[in-house]
Amino acid sequence: MPLCGQKSSVCCAVLSVWGGIQLGITGALIYTGSPAFIEDIPLAENANWSPQEWETNLHAGYQQSALNCWIAALLYLVTFCVSTHQYWANYNTGDQFKATQF
Amino acid sequence: MDLEMTEVAFFNGTGNCCSDMGTLFKSELMSRCQLYLPPEAAYNCVAELGELGLAQFVDLNPDVSAFQRQFVGEVKRCEEMERTLRYVETEIVKEKVGIADESETSIPAPAPREMVELEASLTTMENNLREVNINYVALRKNHLELSELKNMLRKTEVFLSENQLNLQELDENTRLLDDASEREKDIEDQAYSSMKFNITGGVIDRARLLAFERMLWRVSKGNVFLKVAEIDEQMEDPGSGDVLNKAVFIIFFQGEALRSRVKKICEGFHASVYPCPDSGVERREMLCGVDTRLSDLSTVLTQTTEHRHRLLVAAAATLRSSYVKVRKMKAVYHVLNMFSQRDGGRVLIGEAWLPTADIPDIRAAVNTGAQTAGATIPPTIEKVHTTEQHPTFNRTNKYTGGFQSLVDAYGVNTYREVNPSVYTIATFPFLFAVMFGDAGHGAIMLTATLWMIIKEKSLESKRNISEIFNIFFGGRYIVFLMSIFSIYTGLIYNDIFSKSFNIFGSHWSSKQMSFVATNSTPLSLGMSYMLDPKDNNSYHSEPYPFGVDPVWQSATNKIGFLNTYKMKISLIFGVIHMSFGVMLSLWNKISKKLYHQIFLEFIPQIVFLLGIFGYLVTMIFIKWVMYGANKADPFSEHCAPNLLITFINMMLMKKADVDIKMDKCHTSLNYEIDMYPGQQELQKMLLLIGVLMVPIMLLGKPLFIMYRRRQARARYDSLRDELLEPQQEEGGPVEEDFGEIMINQGIHTIEYVLGSVSHTASYLRLWALSLAHAQLSEVLWSMVMRIALASFKGYAGAIALYLIFAFWCMLTISILCLMEGLSAFLHTLRLHWVEFQSKFYEGAGYLFMPFSFRESLKQAAEDDKEVLKTIAK
C-alpha cells in the first residue's frame, strides 16, 4: 500500500495544501483582471492588433490563466487526498511492523 | 521546572529593601556565602540544592588532586555502578529491547545507605548477564562442532558408500579400507596392510581449501587423495557472529608415516578433524547420536536465549531510573569534594555564589535536607565579602532565553551591567524584518514556527533530534517574532511573493493614460506612460493610507523610488539605534557612580553623534516635509537639494556649485539651496561643536584621573609626613599606568569617532538586503511561475503549472526563506553586536553555572547519545 515513506507523504500533503490555497487565490485574482498579473497571461507579443482585438485577447488571456490556476489547484487537492491516504497507510503498517519485532 | 521571571522585592534577612527587582534589565545581585553543614546532613542538603539549581559552588580544595579528596571512594563506587549500567544498556540495545523512558525529574537523589543496595543489585545483574553470555557462547561453540561433525558424517557417507558398493564383489584382501580388526590378523602380511587406505575426515574453512590441498600434495609427494564437499548450511561463529563457510574434506592415505604428517597439516590449517569410523554401521550410529545431541543442544540454546531476554527486560524496566539515581549521587559527591572539613570533621564548610534574591529559598532547601537526614545541628548560611568578580546571572524563561543566548554568544555582560537582551527582544526581529520584508515568506516562517511551538512538549522529549533541527527549535520564539514582524514590513513594502495587494484602491489613476497607435508604432506590451503627481487626474493628492502604493509594481522606476526611501529609513533607524546605545552607557555610568565620566565621555559622545548624524536625519525629515511635487517653487520637487551633497559640503566647508537650472529655487541671495534660513550658519556651528568634542573625549578622562591622583598623592604625602613612615611605592607604576590610560582613551576615541561614520553607513545594509530580497523574489516569479502561466497554450498550462508550482515552492523555501532568512539573521546579529553594543557594552563577565541536577542529567544524556552512536556501529 504505501508508495512513499511517512516523511515524504507529510511533505507532499503540506505542499498540496499550500498549492491549493495559493493557486486558488491567484486564480481568483487573475479572473478579476488584476493588473499585477499582466505579464502572467498568455499573450502573443508584437502582434499588430487593433485596440478592440487587444481587449478581447487580453480578456481571453486572463480567463485562460485563471482557469489553469484553478485546474492546478484541483490537481493539488487530489494530491493532498493521495498523500493523506499514503500517510495513513504508512501509519498502519508502521505500527504492525513494530509489533512483530520482538 | 521553569524558573519563572519573578519580580522579587527583597525583605530578607539582610534587612534592606532594595529598589532593584529581579528583572532582565540587569544581572541579578549575587552574594558569596559560606555554608556550614553537619556531616551527616551534608549529602541531603547538597541534594536539595541540586534539585533547586541555584547555587554555584566554589572549589575550596583546588590544590588537592582528584585522588586525594575526601569522598573519592564514593565517587569511584558511583562510577563503577555507571559502568555496570552502561554494560547492561549495551546488551539491551544489542538485543533490541525497548527501554522505558521515565520522566527524570521525579526521581530524587537516593540516600547514601541506598547506595549499597543499588550497588549489590547492579553487581548481581551484571554477573548474571556475563554468566549467561559465557554459557551462551560455549553452547554455540558446541553446537557448531556438532553440526560440523554431522555434516562431515553425512558427506563421507556419500563418498565411502560408493566404495562400499564396489567392495561387495571384491575379495577381502583387496578391500580398500584398513580395518583395525583386520590389522591384527594381517600382521604378518605387511605387504597387504600397506595397500589399505586410512582416512582422515574433518572440516575446514572454504577459503583455506586450495592452500590446504596444495600443501597436502607437496608434503605427501602426491600420495594422498583428497575429496572435498562444501557445506551448504550457513554457520555462525559463536564469538563474533560472523558467517562461516566451511567444507568437508576426507583424506585417503596409506601408511602410518603419512598419518602424522596429515595430522600436522590439518592442525596448521585450523581444520577441525573428527574421528571417522570405518564401518558404515558405526557411522550411522554416530550420526544418530549426533542428531540427538544436536536437538538437545538446540532446546538448551533456546532456553538460554529466553532466560537472557527475560533478564534484559527486567533490567530495562529500571535502567533509566537507576541511571538517574547513580548520576545524581555522583554529582552530589563531586560537590561534597569541594567542601573543606574543619573542626575535626564536625562541620563541612563550603562556599557558593547565590543569587541574593533566592537566599530564603536556598535556606529553606538546606533546612529541609537537614531535617530529612535528622541532624541535630541546623545548617547555616553566612554571607562573605569578596573582591572576586561576581558571576552574571540573568533570570530568563523559555521566551527570553533565546535572546539572552544571542547576546551571550558575543560576550557575557559584566556583573550588574545593563543587559542588552531586553531591547534585543524588540529590535532584533524589527531589524530582521526590515531586511526580509515579504509578507508571504513571513507567513511561511510563521506556520513553521507555530508548528514547532504547538508541538513543543513532544518535540522536546524526543531523544534523536538532529543538530540543525535542534538549533531551529531552540530559537523558535525568536523566529516566531521575526516572522510576525516580517509580515508587518511585508505589508508596508506591499510585497507578498513579489506581488502587491491593492487593498484600499490605488491613489494613482490611469484615466489620463492614452496610448495612440500609428502604422509605424503599433500598440504592444511594454510601452510606458509617465504619470505626473502634479496632475490631479493622475494622482489623488494624498498618499496611499498604509504602505507602498500598489501601482509601483507596474512602474519601471519602482527601484529608483524605493531605493531612496529605504536608504533614508535605514539611516534613521541606524542613528536611533546608536543613540539609544549611547544612552544605555549613561545608565551604566550612573550605576557605577562614575559621574565625572558623564561629563567627560557621555556628553561629548552624544553631542557628536546627534550633532552630526542626528542633523543628517533631521535634514531627511525636513526634505520629506517641505518639498513636494505639488508645491510651487522654491519647494517643488526639482528644487529639493541633494542631501548627500549638502552633507559633504557641510563637512568640507565647501560652497555649492552654481546651477543655472536651479535659478528659481534660491531662497536667499547666495547660491546655496537652503532648506531653511540660517542653514549655513547652523551647519558651521554644528561642525565646530562636533570637532570640539573630539579632544574632550580624547583628553578629558585621562586629565581627570591625573588630577585625582595628584590630589590623592598630595593628601597622602601630608599624611606620611605626619606619621613618619617611609614607604616608596607609587612613584614608578603610576606614570606607566598613565601612559596606558592615554593609549586606551585614544583608542576609544578614534573607535568612536570613526566608528560613528562607518557604523552609520553600515546600517545601509538594511536597504541592501531588502532590495536583494525583493529582487530575488521577483526574479523567481518571473523566471519560474511566468513560464507556467504565460508560455503554454490552452490547458497544457494547467499541468505545467501543477509541476512548476512545486518547483517554485522548493526554491522559495530553500533560497528565499532559508538562505535569505539566515543571511538577514546574520546581518541583524552583526548590527546588534558591533554597531549597537560597541557604544556601551563591556561584556567581560562570566556566566553563573549553578549546580543543578537538571543540567548535569542533560549533559549526561548528550554523552550517552555519543556512546550509543559508537555502539550502534
Side-chain angles (χ1 to χ4, degrees):
Chain A
M1 275 308 255
L3 294 166
C4 48
Q6 200 162 22
K7 278 196 188 144
S8 61
S9 55
V10 167
C11 207
C12 283
V14 170
L15 187 65
S16 319
V17 168
W18 180 4
I21 297 178
Q22 181 164 343
L23 285 172
I25 296 179
T26 318
L29 289 173
I30 296 181
Y31 188 70
T32 55
S34 150
F37 294 101
I38 185 70
E39 293 176 29
D40 292 323
I41 54 172
L43 207 55
E45 288 206 15
N46 301 326
N48 298 340
W49 286 333
S50 66
Q52 290 79 19
E53 276 181 352
W54 263 109
E55 249 192 81
T56 37
N57 277 314
L58 210 58
H59 280 299
Y62 267 111
Q63 302 279 7
Q64 185 62 53
S65 273
L67 274 168
N68 280 347
C69 280
W70 281 328
I71 295 174
L74 264 168
L75 285 174
Y76 272 115
L77 186 63
V78 169
T79 316
F80 177 65
C81 298
V82 167
S83 45
T84 329
H85 168 76
Q86 287 295 311
Y87 180 74
W88 281 113
N90 260 308
Y91 195 71
N92 289 336
T93 54
D95 272 354
Q96 271 178 11
F97 182 60
K98 280 189 208 139
T100 54
Q101 213 179 18
F102 212 118
Chain B
M1 174 177 87
D2 268 342
L3 297 171
E4 297 295 336
M5 189 159 74
T6 50
E7 292 183 354
V8 177
F10 19 141
F11 301 103
N12 57 8
T14 59
N16 40 341
C17 159
C18 313
S19 57
D20 263 330
M21 295 191 282
T23 63
L24 213 48
F25 180 62
K26 283 185 183 186
S27 75
E28 301 262 329
L29 270 175
M30 306 289 285
S31 20
R32 179 131 162 179
C33 300
Q34 279 190 335
L35 288 89
Y36 295 87
L37 303 173
E40 61 269 18
Y43 179 89
N44 289 69
C45 295
V46 175
E48 287 291 328
L49 285 178
E51 295 286 343
L52 201 55
L54 283 174
Q56 177 176 343
F57 286 96
V58 178
D59 196 353
L60 288 176
N61 315 318
D63 305 326
V64 180
S65 83
F67 295 102
Q68 291 170 338
R69 301 230 183 193
Q70 205 183 346
F71 293 94
V72 66
E74 279 84 354
V75 174
K76 274 204 195 134
R77 281 160 73 187
C78 288
E79 294 208 336
E80 183 62 30
M81 283 199 272
E82 226 182 328
R83 186 199 57 78
T84 319
L85 280 171
R86 198 151 274 164
Y87 170 70
V88 171
E89 189 175 7
T90 329
E91 293 297 314
I92 292 179
V93 167
K94 270 200 227 163
E95 199 60 20
K96 297 194 179 52
V97 175
I99 305 178
D101 252 344
E102 301 203 15
S103 73
E104 299 173 350
T105 49
S106 56
I107 305 166
R113 54 178 173 274
E114 274 184 47
M115 177 152 83
V116 181
E117 292 169 24
L118 199 55
E119 238 183 332
S121 70
L122 283 174
T123 345
T124 37
M125 201 193 305
E126 186 192 5
N127 288 339
N128 283 346
L129 267 176
R130 281 201 200 273
E131 234 182 86
V132 165
N133 276 342
I134 293 174
N135 289 346
Y136 187 69
V137 170
L139 286 171
R140 289 295 307 247
K141 211 156 148 232
N142 224 347
H143 188 264
L144 184 68
E145 280 177 15
L146 286 175
S147 343
E148 284 178 0
L149 185 55
K150 185 174 83 172
N151 272 306
M152 195 203 75
L153 286 173
R154 281 226 191 100
K155 303 284 178 186
T156 53
E157 185 69 29
V158 175
F159 298 158
L160 297 173
S161 60
E162 292 171 355
N163 298 327
Q164 289 282 37
L165 286 172
N166 296 337
L167 281 176
Q168 296 291 343
E169 295 124 27
L170 288 175
D171 205 348
E172 255 195 21
N173 288 341
T174 51
R175 234 181 321 155
L176 284 167
L177 288 175
D178 196 356
D179 217 338
S181 54
E182 289 272 325
R183 250 186 266 151
E184 277 120 33
K185 270 201 254 163
D186 293 329
I187 199 103
E188 319 90 31
D189 232 337
Q190 291 288 338
Y192 284 134
S193 67
S194 63
M195 286 285 293
K196 312 247 163 83
F197 282 100
N198 296 318
I199 47 173
T200 304
V203 172
I204 188 175
D205 258 342
R206 261 188 237 173
R208 302 189 191 191
L209 205 48
L210 210 54
F212 184 58
E213 210 174 323
R214 211 176 295 158
M215 181 65 90
L216 270 179
W217 184 263
R218 286 215 191 108
V219 165
S220 62
K221 298 192 180 63
N223 282 327
V224 300
F225 175 60
L226 176 72
K227 189 115 199 249
V228 167
E230 294 190 346
I231 300 184
D232 302 318
E233 193 183 311
Q234 290 261 351
M235 292 190 279
E236 274 182 29
D237 183 41
S240 55
D242 295 335
V243 170
L244 302 168
N245 288 321
K246 296 214 170 178
V248 172
F249 65 87
I250 178 164
I251 307 177
F252 296 90
F253 58 91
Q254 284 180 318
E256 290 305 314
L258 275 178
R259 188 193 287 276
S260 52
R261 276 192 221 166
V262 165
K263 206 163 101 181
K264 276 210 191 103
I265 294 174
C266 287
E267 274 171 32
F269 277 84
H270 296 290
S272 358
V273 172
Y274 296 105
C276 185
D278 299 329
S279 74
V281 173
E282 276 178 39
R283 280 200 297 274
R284 278 188 282 275
E285 272 179 31
M286 205 174 183
L287 195 59
C288 286
V290 168
D291 273 334
T292 18
R293 276 162 70 193
L294 262 178
S295 59
D296 283 340
L297 205 53
S298 304
T299 338
V300 175
L301 267 173
T302 33
Q303 278 184 350
T304 317
T305 331
E306 271 176 36
H307 176 63
R308 190 175 109 119
H309 187 72
R310 271 197 303 269
L311 272 181
L312 286 173
V313 167
T318 52
L319 186 72
R320 288 268 165 254
S321 53
S322 310
Y323 255 126
V324 170
K325 283 191 200 161
V326 168
R327 284 185 174 140
K328 282 193 182 180
M329 221 190 291
K330 191 164 87 155
V332 172
Y333 279 118
H334 269 307
V335 169
L336 281 177
N337 270 337
M338 294 200 233
F339 280 43
S340 74
Q341 249 194 356
R342 296 239 201 109
D343 223 1
R346 273 187 286 158
V347 66
L348 276 173
I349 302 184
E351 267 186 38
W353 290 106
L354 309 172
T356 316
D358 290 321
I359 290 188
D361 287 334
I362 295 175
R363 258 191 239 275
V366 168
N367 285 334
T368 325
Q371 268 179 4
T372 331
T376 47
I377 316 165
T380 33
I381 303 180
E382 254 183 47
K383 278 204 195 158
V384 160
H385 177 71
T386 175
T387 48
E388 269 178 41
Q389 194 191 21
H390 297 230
T392 314
F393 177 45
N394 290 307
R395 213 185 284 269
T396 55
N397 52 19
K398 65 181 177 180
Y399 307 108
T400 52
F403 295 103
Q404 187 64 47
S405 57
L406 277 183
V407 170
D408 284 342
Y410 190 63
V412 179
N413 49 339
T414 324
Y415 181 62
R416 299 298 277 174
E417 193 191 24
V418 148
N419 184 10
S421 72
V422 192
Y423 317 104
T424 309
I425 299 179
T427 54
F428 189 90
F430 181 68
L431 289 180
F432 173 86
V434 172
M435 290 196 251
F436 198 67
D438 188 317
H441 303 140
I444 296 174
M445 272 171 51
L446 185 65
T447 45
T449 45
L450 272 180
W451 169 74
M452 277 202 281
I453 290 178
I454 291 177
K455 288 256 172 186
E456 204 170 50
K457 293 229 167 49
S458 59
L459 282 173
E460 242 172 7
S461 51
K462 258 204 213 168
R463 291 185 152 253
N464 46 353
I465 312 184
S466 74
E467 284 269 343
I468 297 184
F469 184 74
N470 230 355
I471 295 177
F472 281 117
F473 183 71
R476 59 194 182 280
Y477 288 105
I478 306 179
V479 182
F480 176 68
L481 279 180
M482 278 164 27
S483 55
I484 294 184
F485 278 72
S486 302
I487 296 180
Y488 168 72
T489 52
L491 290 175
I492 297 256
Y493 289 154
N494 217 344
D495 194 0
I496 294 134
F497 292 128
S498 84
K499 302 283 173 196
S500 302
F501 272 174
N502 185 359
I503 307 177
F504 303 103
S506 173
H507 281 221
W508 295 71
S509 74
S510 52
K511 272 187 280 188
Q512 195 74 337
M513 284 169 76
S514 66
F515 289 88
V516 177
T518 61
N519 282 342
S520 52
T521 53
L523 272 183
S524 63
L525 275 184
M527 291 172 75
S528 64
Y529 185 88
M530 184 154 82
L531 291 171
D532 191 349
K534 271 202 274 277
D535 191 352
N536 264 337
N537 288 332
S538 303
Y539 177 62
H540 307 177
S541 47
E542 276 178 6
Y544 193 71
F546 181 76
V548 171
D549 200 302
V551 78
W552 284 105
Q553 66 182 316
S554 330
T556 49
N557 60 339
K558 167 187 181 189
I559 297 182
F561 171 71
L562 283 182
N563 272 358
T564 98
Y565 160 68
K566 284 182 184 174
M567 280 202 246
K568 291 193 171 108
I569 64 170
S570 309
L571 284 182
I572 295 174
F573 289 143
V575 173
I576 293 179
H577 206 206
M578 288 195 291
S579 337
F580 180 55
V582 181
M583 291 299 198
L584 286 179
S585 78
L586 170 71
W587 193 267
N588 264 343
K589 293 179 167 70
I590 290 182
S591 71
K592 285 193 200 150
K593 300 201 177 32
L594 299 166
Y595 296 114
H596 64 276
Q597 277 193 12
I598 299 179
F599 296 99
L600 297 171
E601 267 191 2
F602 168 70
I603 295 206
Q605 279 180 344
I606 197 86
V607 167
F608 180 80
L609 187 63
L610 288 182
I612 304 208
F613 299 97
Y615 176 66
L616 178 60
V617 168
T618 324
M619 279 207 289
I620 293 177
F621 278 111
I622 292 176
K623 182 173 174 182
W624 271 347
V625 167
M626 282 179 47
Y627 291 85
N630 46 359
K631 302 208 171 121
D633 289 337
F635 299 114
S636 63
E637 84 283 0
H638 63 270
C639 287
N642 186 330
L643 288 181
L644 200 55
I645 306 286
T646 317
F647 195 58
I648 292 176
N649 287 345
M650 165 183 160
M651 287 293 134
L652 298 178
M653 308 243 282
K654 225 171 66 159
K655 284 202 186 301
D657 296 331
V658 175
D659 192 352
I660 310 282
K661 282 183 268 177
M662 310 266 263
D663 210 21
K664 298 205 186 75
C665 302
H666 295 114
T667 49
S668 56
L669 285 174
N670 53 10
Y671 278 108
E672 306 288 337
I673 307 289
D674 277 348
M675 293 193 276
Y676 52 88
Q679 180 176 344
Q680 298 303 313
E681 287 76 22
L682 179 66
Q683 281 178 184
K684 286 207 183 71
M685 197 174 73
L686 283 174
L687 181 64
L688 190 63
I689 292 178
V691 168
L692 275 180
M693 291 295 133
V694 175
I696 299 182
M697 278 192 260
L698 186 61
L699 299 169
K701 193 165 114 175
L703 287 177
F704 185 80
I705 291 180
M706 200 165 78
Y707 169 71
R708 265 253 178 95
R709 283 203 182 145
R710 217 173 269 168
Q711 262 194 342
R713 219 185 298 160
R715 234 184 294 136
Y716 185 71
D717 280 342
S718 64
L719 267 179
R720 194 177 69 175
D721 289 337
E722 286 185 14
L723 298 173
L724 295 169
E725 275 180 37
Q727 277 198 25
Q728 297 121 356
E729 278 182 26
E730 281 93 8
V734 171
E735 305 305 316
E736 272 166 43
D737 273 349
F738 188 71
E740 245 186 71
I741 295 175
M742 269 309 296
I743 291 175
N744 268 334
Q745 195 64 18
I747 293 176
H748 278 309
T749 309
I750 293 177
E751 222 182 89
Y752 184 79
V753 171
L754 292 180
S756 44
V757 179
S758 77
H759 293 171
T760 311
S762 176
Y763 274 93
L764 284 173
R765 71 186 69 221
L766 294 175
W767 154 64
L769 262 94
S770 76
L771 178 67
H773 189 94
Q775 287 307 298
L776 264 178
S777 159
E778 205 177 298
V779 159
L780 194 60
W781 185 279
S782 61
M783 294 280 152
V784 178
M785 286 291 263
R786 199 156 288 169
I787 298 177
L789 288 168
S791 354
F792 285 87
K793 293 226 160 58
Y795 293 100
I799 309 287
L801 189 56
Y802 172 72
L803 296 168
I804 290 182
F805 181 82
F807 184 57
W808 178 86
C809 278
M810 293 300 143
L811 286 179
T812 299
I813 293 185
S814 60
I815 297 180
L816 288 170
C817 286
L818 283 175
M819 187 189 87
E820 277 286 318
L822 281 174
S823 160
F825 183 89
L826 188 75
H827 282 286
T828 317
L829 205 56
R830 177 247 153 76
L831 280 178
H832 277 81
W833 281 351
V834 178
E835 274 80 13
F836 175 57
Q837 285 180 346
S838 64
K839 303 285 181 288
F840 67 95
Y841 198 54
E842 224 181 276
Y846 66 100
L847 275 180
F848 175 64
M849 314 275 259
F851 167 59
S852 148
F853 282 145
R854 213 158 35 123
E855 291 306 313
S856 54
L857 285 175
K858 229 195 284 183
Q859 183 61 42
E862 303 266 325
D863 294 336
D864 268 353
K865 253 194 252 178
E866 292 297 316
V867 173
L868 278 179
K869 261 189 242 173
T870 53
I871 292 177
K873 284 179 203 157

